[in-house]
Amino acid sequence: MRVLGIESSCDETAAAIVDSDGRVLSDVVRSQIAIHAAWGGVVPELAARDHLRGVLPVTSEACRVAGLTLDDVDGLAVTVRPGLAGALLVGAEFAKTLALATGKPIVGVDHLVGHLLAVFLTRGEAAPTRPGFPFVALVASGGHTAIYKVSGPLERDVEELGGTRDDAAGEAFDKVAKALGLGYPGGPVIDRLASAGDATRFAVPRPMRADPSLELSFSGVKTWVARHVEREGAPVGQALADLCASFQRAVVDVLVDKTMRAARLAGVGDVVLSGGVAANGGLRARAKERCGAHGLRLFVPPPASCTDNAAMIAFAGAARLAAGERDGLDLSIEPRSRIPRATVKGRGRRR
Ligand code: KG4
Ligand code: ZN
């Protein structure tokens, strides 16, 4: 089975064709970073307008790269939650129009399920090793940060074990980069600067680390850096690299500690990292070290699968279609995920 996926939940317009084994036949991503960079974050109205410009060209390109036409695909998958409402609407209405015109089945996909299954995508490798169900996965991106137990490929197989009480990890990278005058998005530049810095120079706090729950919090780390800059001025040279390294180490320590704890509590042997922050060199290295020490297998998809893309959406859709699930043309978007939250924003653990 071959599925065309469409993704437009945030600031990437993407289309991809993937088969039900996870083979990526095409994967086209049109980033809006240049549009939002001037504002230091994603502007919802500008995002929706640009998805409208991009959705048809990326879909045509995905077909061209795969050497296929819409006739050759067996179904359509589109991100319907969570995300920016206006942005989601563009992809969903476009995909429904394609379904109506072609008569192909359509399924809506939760973007987080896409991130959780991105580890199953293959991009030309001969015999990829894949995690077995159930596994524990950390999804850390600009909009979400939570730890899940994944017992199968469908949304109902996904259980959130804990998440952030406030900012997402990627959001912390982006806000710290803004405070340091490093531009948007912040993750890649902080990652690069941190690799030349001394992570022990500044005592950045590690919120929630000692707390036995699987909850996370990143707004305090961001505030600590902002206060430091207010007090001492924006650092340059080695001091900047050391501050980036110290901040990154604090975030990574908490993410890895909680993920390891989740794997132990869930009794699983396989651990997966996903979302844009999983591209972070410090996170990958520390997770590898800790999983190795505890006899866990670690799976980290390549960056193209970790950051927002439509291949993961197509694959999650293929799993729904294979299970006999279908949506109608009344399929609608929702800003929030339906996966029950273990941690409620601003309030902590759901009781
Ligand atoms: O998954 P993604 O592409 O989009 C969302 O769904 O948000 O993640 C983007 C986020 C941004 O906050 C960006 O700063 C962060 O991922 N990011 C990184 C790195 N590359 C991207 N964070 C830390 N280190 C990186 N190398
Ligand atoms: Zn995402």
Side-chain angles (χ1 to χ4, degrees), residues 12 111 115 141-144 170-171 173-174 185-188 191 275-277 279-281 306-308:
E12 260 92 30
H111 181 84
H115 275 304
S141 72
H144 314 277
E171 193 178 352
F173 273 93
D174 294 338
D191 193 359
V277 180
N280 187 266
C306 283
T307 54
D308 282 354

Short mmCIF file of all heavy atoms in Angstrom, two decimals, residues 12 111 115 141-144 170-171 173-174 185-188 191 275-277 279-281 306-308, ligand 1:
data_model
loop_
_atom_site.label_atom_id
_atom_site.label_comp_id
_atom_site.label_asym_id
_atom_site.label_seq_id
_atom_site.Cartn_x
_atom_site.Cartn_y
_atom_site.Cartn_z
N GLU A 12 5.81 24.16 8.60
CA GLU A 12 6.33 23.44 7.45
C GLU A 12 5.16 22.97 6.60
O GLU A 12 4.22 22.38 7.15
CB GLU A 12 7.11 22.18 7.90
CG GLU A 12 8.61 22.34 7.92
CD GLU A 12 9.13 22.79 9.26
OE1 GLU A 12 8.50 22.44 10.27
OE2 GLU A 12 10.15 23.50 9.28
N HIS A 111 -0.57 14.51 14.76
CA HIS A 111 0.83 14.84 14.48
C HIS A 111 1.79 14.13 15.45
O HIS A 111 2.89 13.71 15.06
CB HIS A 111 0.95 16.37 14.61
CG HIS A 111 2.29 16.92 14.34
ND1 HIS A 111 2.75 17.21 13.07
CD2 HIS A 111 3.31 17.27 15.17
CE1 HIS A 111 3.97 17.71 13.14
NE2 HIS A 111 4.34 17.76 14.40
N HIS A 115 5.13 11.71 14.88
CA HIS A 115 6.47 11.79 15.48
C HIS A 115 6.86 10.45 16.12
O HIS A 115 8.00 10.01 16.02
CB HIS A 115 6.52 12.89 16.54
CG HIS A 115 6.80 14.26 15.99
ND1 HIS A 115 7.91 14.55 15.22
CD2 HIS A 115 6.13 15.43 16.11
CE1 HIS A 115 7.90 15.85 14.90
NE2 HIS A 115 6.83 16.40 15.42
N SER A 141 9.87 18.81 20.77
CA SER A 141 9.90 19.70 19.60
C SER A 141 9.64 21.12 20.07
O SER A 141 9.69 21.41 21.27
CB SER A 141 8.85 19.25 18.59
OG SER A 141 7.56 19.56 19.07
N GLY A 142 9.34 22.00 19.10
CA GLY A 142 9.08 23.39 19.46
C GLY A 142 7.73 23.57 20.12
O GLY A 142 7.50 24.51 20.87
N GLY A 143 6.81 22.66 19.86
CA GLY A 143 5.46 22.80 20.38
C GLY A 143 5.08 21.77 21.44
O GLY A 143 4.11 21.97 22.17
N HIS A 144 5.82 20.66 21.51
CA HIS A 144 5.44 19.57 22.42
C HIS A 144 6.67 19.00 23.11
O HIS A 144 7.71 18.87 22.47
CB HIS A 144 4.80 18.41 21.65
CG HIS A 144 3.78 18.85 20.66
ND1 HIS A 144 2.49 19.12 21.01
CD2 HIS A 144 3.88 19.11 19.34
CE1 HIS A 144 1.83 19.53 19.94
NE2 HIS A 144 2.65 19.53 18.92
N GLY A 170 11.99 22.57 22.88
CA GLY A 170 12.43 23.35 21.72
C GLY A 170 12.12 24.84 21.89
O GLY A 170 12.89 25.70 21.46
N GLU A 171 11.00 25.09 22.56
CA GLU A 171 10.61 26.48 22.85
C GLU A 171 11.66 27.12 23.76
O GLU A 171 12.00 28.29 23.60
CB GLU A 171 9.24 26.41 23.55
CG GLU A 171 8.48 27.67 23.69
CD GLU A 171 7.11 27.40 24.36
OE1 GLU A 171 6.73 26.21 24.57
OE2 GLU A 171 6.44 28.38 24.70
N PHE A 173 14.86 26.30 23.89
CA PHE A 173 16.02 26.60 23.02
C PHE A 173 15.77 27.88 22.23
O PHE A 173 16.64 28.74 22.11
CB PHE A 173 16.27 25.44 22.04
CG PHE A 173 17.15 24.35 22.59
CD1 PHE A 173 16.61 23.23 23.22
CD2 PHE A 173 18.54 24.43 22.48
CE1 PHE A 173 17.43 22.23 23.73
CE2 PHE A 173 19.36 23.43 22.97
CZ PHE A 173 18.81 22.33 23.61
N ASP A 174 14.54 28.01 21.68
CA ASP A 174 14.23 29.17 20.84
C ASP A 174 14.23 30.47 21.66
O ASP A 174 14.73 31.50 21.22
CB ASP A 174 12.88 28.98 20.14
CG ASP A 174 12.91 27.83 19.14
OD1 ASP A 174 14.02 27.47 18.67
OD2 ASP A 174 11.83 27.28 18.83
N PRO A 185 15.36 29.45 14.13
CA PRO A 185 15.16 28.73 15.40
C PRO A 185 16.46 28.60 16.19
O PRO A 185 17.55 28.61 15.62
CB PRO A 185 14.67 27.36 14.92
CG PRO A 185 15.28 27.18 13.58
CD PRO A 185 15.37 28.55 12.97
N GLY A 186 16.32 28.46 17.50
CA GLY A 186 17.49 28.52 18.36
C GLY A 186 18.25 27.21 18.51
O GLY A 186 19.45 27.22 18.80
N GLY A 187 17.55 26.09 18.36
CA GLY A 187 18.17 24.79 18.63
C GLY A 187 19.47 24.54 17.90
O GLY A 187 20.51 24.28 18.53
N PRO A 188 19.46 24.63 16.58
CA PRO A 188 20.68 24.30 15.83
C PRO A 188 21.87 25.19 16.20
O PRO A 188 23.00 24.68 16.33
CB PRO A 188 20.27 24.50 14.37
CG PRO A 188 18.78 24.32 14.37
CD PRO A 188 18.31 24.85 15.69
N ASP A 191 23.12 24.33 19.74
CA ASP A 191 23.78 23.02 19.63
C ASP A 191 25.23 23.19 19.13
O ASP A 191 26.18 22.65 19.70
CB ASP A 191 22.96 22.17 18.64
CG ASP A 191 23.32 20.70 18.65
OD1 ASP A 191 24.23 20.31 19.40
OD2 ASP A 191 22.69 19.93 17.89
N GLY A 275 11.11 14.26 17.33
CA GLY A 275 10.85 15.70 17.40
C GLY A 275 12.14 16.45 17.08
O GLY A 275 13.24 15.88 17.14
N GLY A 276 12.01 17.72 16.75
CA GLY A 276 13.16 18.51 16.30
C GLY A 276 14.33 18.51 17.28
O GLY A 276 15.49 18.50 16.87
N VAL A 277 14.05 18.49 18.59
CA VAL A 277 15.13 18.54 19.59
C VAL A 277 15.95 17.24 19.58
O VAL A 277 17.10 17.23 20.02
CB VAL A 277 14.54 18.84 20.99
CG1 VAL A 277 15.63 18.91 22.05
CG2 VAL A 277 13.77 20.16 20.97
N ALA A 279 17.37 16.14 17.20
CA ALA A 279 18.53 16.39 16.34
C ALA A 279 19.71 16.89 17.17
O ALA A 279 20.83 16.96 16.68
CB ALA A 279 18.17 17.43 15.27
N ASN A 280 19.47 17.22 18.44
CA ASN A 280 20.52 17.81 19.29
C ASN A 280 21.66 16.84 19.60
O ASN A 280 21.44 15.74 20.12
CB ASN A 280 19.89 18.31 20.59
CG ASN A 280 20.88 19.08 21.44
OD1 ASN A 280 21.52 18.52 22.31
ND2 ASN A 280 21.02 20.35 21.17
N GLY A 281 22.88 17.28 19.30
CA GLY A 281 24.06 16.42 19.48
C GLY A 281 24.24 16.01 20.92
O GLY A 281 24.55 14.84 21.22
N CYS A 306 13.10 13.31 12.23
CA CYS A 306 12.81 13.90 13.55
C CYS A 306 12.04 15.21 13.43
O CYS A 306 11.11 15.46 14.19
CB CYS A 306 14.11 14.20 14.30
SG CYS A 306 14.88 12.74 15.00
N THR A 307 12.45 16.07 12.49
CA THR A 307 11.76 17.36 12.36
C THR A 307 10.47 17.15 11.58
O THR A 307 10.24 16.09 11.00
CB THR A 307 12.68 18.39 11.66
OG1 THR A 307 13.11 17.83 10.43
CG2 THR A 307 13.90 18.70 12.51
N ASP A 308 9.62 18.18 11.56
CA ASP A 308 8.30 18.02 10.94
C ASP A 308 8.41 17.62 9.48
O ASP A 308 9.18 18.20 8.71
CB ASP A 308 7.52 19.33 11.08
CG ASP A 308 6.95 19.49 12.48
OD1 ASP A 308 7.07 18.54 13.28
OD2 ASP A 308 6.38 20.56 12.76
O1 KG4 B 1 9.68 18.99 15.34
P1 KG4 B 1 10.01 20.36 14.88
O2 KG4 B 1 10.66 20.52 13.53
O3 KG4 B 1 8.73 21.26 14.81
C1 KG4 B 1 7.75 21.29 15.82
O4 KG4 B 1 6.83 20.45 15.77
O5 KG4 B 1 7.90 22.16 16.71
O6 KG4 B 1 10.90 21.02 16.02
C2 KG4 B 1 11.41 22.33 15.93
C3 KG4 B 1 12.12 22.64 17.23
C4 KG4 B 1 12.58 24.10 17.35
O7 KG4 B 1 12.23 24.57 18.65
C5 KG4 B 1 14.09 24.00 17.20
O8 KG4 B 1 14.80 25.00 17.91
C6 KG4 B 1 14.38 22.63 17.77
O9 KG4 B 1 13.29 21.82 17.34
N1 KG4 B 1 15.63 22.06 17.27
C7 KG4 B 1 16.69 21.78 18.05
C8 KG4 B 1 17.73 21.34 17.20
N2 KG4 B 1 17.25 21.35 15.91
C9 KG4 B 1 15.97 21.80 15.99
N3 KG4 B 1 16.83 21.87 19.38
C10 KG4 B 1 18.03 21.53 19.89
N4 KG4 B 1 19.08 21.12 19.15
C11 KG4 B 1 18.97 21.01 17.81
N5 KG4 B 1 20.02 20.60 17.07
#
